[in-house]
Structures are given as structure tokens and as C-alpha cells.
Amino acid sequence: MLKPSTPDGHDDALEDTIVAVAAAMSDASRVKMLCALMDGRAWTATELSAVADIASSTASGHLARLVKGKLITCLSQGRHRYYRLAGHDIAALLEGMMGVSWKRTDPMRTRTPQHLRNARTCYDHLAGEAAVNIYAALVDEGWLQADGAALTEKGRARFQQAGIALNPNPRRKACCACLDWSERRFHLGGEAGAALFLHGEHKGWLVRTPGFREVTITPAGRLALKKLFNIEV
């Protein structure tokens, strides 16, 4: 039986690409590095080798494999080199895989740590219980379309009133519903999610824990979220 060909003649291009991505991730040390980079920051090879608990020379090979697989990018700053996730799509892929993997583990042995369940980074936006409550409030108040694809006119006006700067010509999705792996509900992603997180950081509402995905919501942040979204954190 003849196998049908695609119009451009690349019969197995998509399948081969999926296999290549899976192969680039098929190592525990590389997965540890990718998970560390989910905090949205750029890390040095030395920092990533420490996270993966491997020698620097070994880490170099793993990082090269991840760069080749287009999962991370390398940035040069003077004599230093930094690594970060290749983009929001890679972060979304990892977040989804974390959710799937968590459901496959023994729930008695691997419950989601409470400090991560409350609030954490999902690349450049907020995730966790606080984030899904914000998302629900945005929908309930008519600030966000039910499918999470866009802010409503009211939502854009309220963001502007709150001083949350939105890029009028975003290079990525202006807004999206991002499935939260610990809560199994949606939190706000895309340009709007990143803008909200950045605003919260500048205002001192949200404080990252350096080197980890954990986010602390400050007393001022709890008051601000209550005022803006009528939610208790």
C-alpha cells in the first residue's frame, strides 16, 4: 500500500520533528534544566549544571543538545553566556507536560507543594491558585472573553485605568487561557498575562524567589488583588 505524500513532498516532516523534540528532552538532566528555566530568567551554564547536579563539562553537552533542538537559546553578554527558553510556546509545552506527568505519579508521594500551588511563574506570567482565581474574576466581571482569547473593551479600559500597560501591536497572542497544571483550571497567559505580572512586580505586589518558580504575594499585593479583582489570597 502506497503511503500518501504531502503536497511539498516532505512525507514525515512533522513526525520527524516531534521525534527530534522528544529526543532533545529525553534526559533527566536536560529536563531539570528546562524546568529551572521556566522561571522566565536567563541562567548561566554553571547555574544550570548545579540545578541538574552534573559537572560543567557534562552540562555543556546537554545545553548544546537543547540549543540544537531549538528548545533554548544562548545569549552572549560580554564574556558571559546565558541560556533561556526559546519562547512562550516552549514554556507552554513544558507546563502542559508537567501537568500530564504529575497525574501519572503516586499522589500519596508527590502532592503539589503548597508554596508552588499558591503562586508561581509560568515563564513570564502568574500561575497557581491566585492566578486561576484572577482568571475566573476577569471572566465573571466581563473583562475577558469566556474562551480567554481576548480582553473585552471593558477589560482593556480597566487594565488602562489600573496602569497595566498593554502592547497595542503584540508579537504574540494578546491573550490566552493557559491550563494550570496544579489547579486544572485556566490562568491568564499571553501579552495580557505578562503585562499583569510585570505590573505586579513593579508595584511590589509580587516577589519572585531567586532561582525558583515560587512567587510571594505581599500584603500590598493581597490588598491590590482584593481591590482589582475582589479575590482573597
Side-chain angles (χ1 to χ4, degrees), residues 78-96:
R79 294 183 299 171
H80 301 285
R81 301 176 74 187
Y82 297 89
Y83 296 88
R84 66 183 307 159
L85 294 182
H88 309 92
D89 55 339
I90 303 302
L93 170 65
L94 292 170
E95 184 82 0

Side-chain angles (χ1 to χ4, degrees), residues 172-227:
R172 55 190 285 200
K173 289 183 179 179
C175 218
C176 69
C178 187
L179 184 62
D180 197 284
W181 63 261
S182 64
E183 299 303 305
R184 305 293 190 266
R185 293 186 289 157
F186 292 118
H187 61 245
L188 183 64
E191 184 76 21
L196 178 59
F197 187 87
L198 185 62
H199 182 76
E201 278 196 299
H202 286 168
K203 288 289 188 178
W205 303 345
L206 308 173
V207 178
R208 301 191 200 211
T209 300
F212 298 91
R213 295 182 66 193
E214 181 182 357
V215 172
T216 298
I217 300 176
T218 65
R222 290 195 290 271
L223 289 173
L225 294 179
K226 173 67 175 177
K227 180 179 180 181

